[in-house]
Amino acid sequence: MVTVNPEFLVLAGGHPEFRATLNQADLAVADGVGVVLASWLLGTPLPARLTGVDLADELAGLAAARGYGVYLLGAAPGVAQQAAEALRQRHPGLVISGAYAGAPGPDEEEALVERINAAGPRILLVAFGSPQQELWIARQRERLQVAVAIGVGGAFDFFSGKVRRAPRWMRALGLEWLYRLLREPWRWRRMLRLPVFAVRVLLQRLRG
Ligand code: UDP
């Protein structure tokens, strides 16, 4: 599963491997108000925004109800464990198959896949940031013995309490991106993709 935001789409335009990865996903949700707005402007309306963090939380609730194991891979050392503990408190009975920081580089790939398969989770949440997490999952797709794998970006940072999420009113107004930019100004460079996305959507709209 992939959680698509405008930055993904601009990057995918010049990155054939990432583009193929997004197109080959079994389920793509709109993580980012820009994708939802674009879908309306271009005549293929999507029902709503669904972020990686909310999707991971929903999946954890489902996993707790059905007894599916969840594995948390990625984020800074210790954060996946803290996120797992927070999820277990939110969803009593949740089975955590494992939580491990790991790294997206090629040296560790084989060992990581073995580690995850040995733990036997049904659901794998990967927080390596984009596009590394999506590319990592795509490369390991055939070897991973899981039912669902999903890149969740900063979700573990939110679950663990390391990073605060935008207030509900800002999310409701579609301003979560602004909140994140103000809290983490280093994001400005990657956010330069947003105006590029807006211009491309408008041009496509004008061309009909
Ligand atoms: N990360 C990681 N390894 C890396 C690069 C990033 O574990 O080599 C983690 C980072 O600690 C963070 C997540 O990946 O938890 C990316 O979060 P970010 O806020 O950038 O993702 P977004 O939500 O913006 O997609």
Side-chain angles (χ1 to χ4, degrees):
M1 289 156 63
V2 291
T3 64
V4 180
N5 66 29
E7 297 166 34
F8 278 41
L9 294 176
V10 173
L11 179 66
H15 193 318
E17 190 189 349
F18 188 48
R19 187 162 62 236
T21 297
L22 297 183
N23 283 327
Q24 283 159 15
D26 293 307
L27 178 69
V29 299
D31 174 342
V33 67
V35 176
V36 178
L37 288 175
S39 75
W40 284 85
L41 272 173
L42 298 177
T44 48
L46 293 169
R49 173 176 181 233
L50 178 56
T51 64
V53 57
D54 290 327
L55 184 55
D57 193 41
E58 292 280 338
L59 279 173
L62 182 78
R66 305 255 177 105
Y68 300 159
V70 177
Y71 197 105
L72 288 79
L73 175 69
V79 174
Q81 284 85 348
Q82 287 170 18
E85 196 41 54
L87 279 177
R88 212 172 1 217
Q89 282 182 15
R90 282 175 62 79
H91 306 286
L94 177 65
V95 176
I96 299 291
S97 305
Y100 183 61
D107 307 344
E108 259 199 71
E109 286 192 357
E110 211 154 304
L112 269 183
V113 171
E114 272 174 30
R115 192 183 180 119
I116 294 162
N117 286 342
R122 195 84 174 247
I123 296 170
L124 173 64
L125 309 177
V126 184
F128 286 149
S130 285
Q132 293 87 348
Q133 59 196 17
E134 287 78 20
L135 297 172
W136 190 91
I137 292 170
R139 280 199 303 274
Q140 311 307 330
R141 196 178 165 150
E142 299 303 324
R143 288 195 281 163
L144 284 167
Q145 292 156 11
V146 300
V148 173
I150 171 170
V152 293
F156 301 170
D157 298 333
F158 293 128
F159 292 142
S160 68
K162 190 173 159 239
V163 176
R164 269 174 74 123
R165 226 178 145 193
R168 209 167 279 276
W169 67 267
M170 279 190 101
R171 283 188 253 157
L173 289 177
L175 292 176
E176 188 157 21
W177 61 273
L178 179 61
Y179 180 86
R180 295 193 80 184
L181 180 62
L182 293 174
R183 297 283 296 219
E184 300 162 289
W186 52 265
R187 288 180 181 275
W188 71 270
R189 195 182 286 277
R190 61 160 111 155
M191 282 194 175
L192 287 180
R193 295 197 190 118
L194 295 179
V196 176
F197 178 75
V199 169
R200 286 190 189 165
V201 170
L202 290 176
L203 284 177
Q204 195 168 328
R205 163 86 214 212
L206 289 174
R207 287 197 206 104

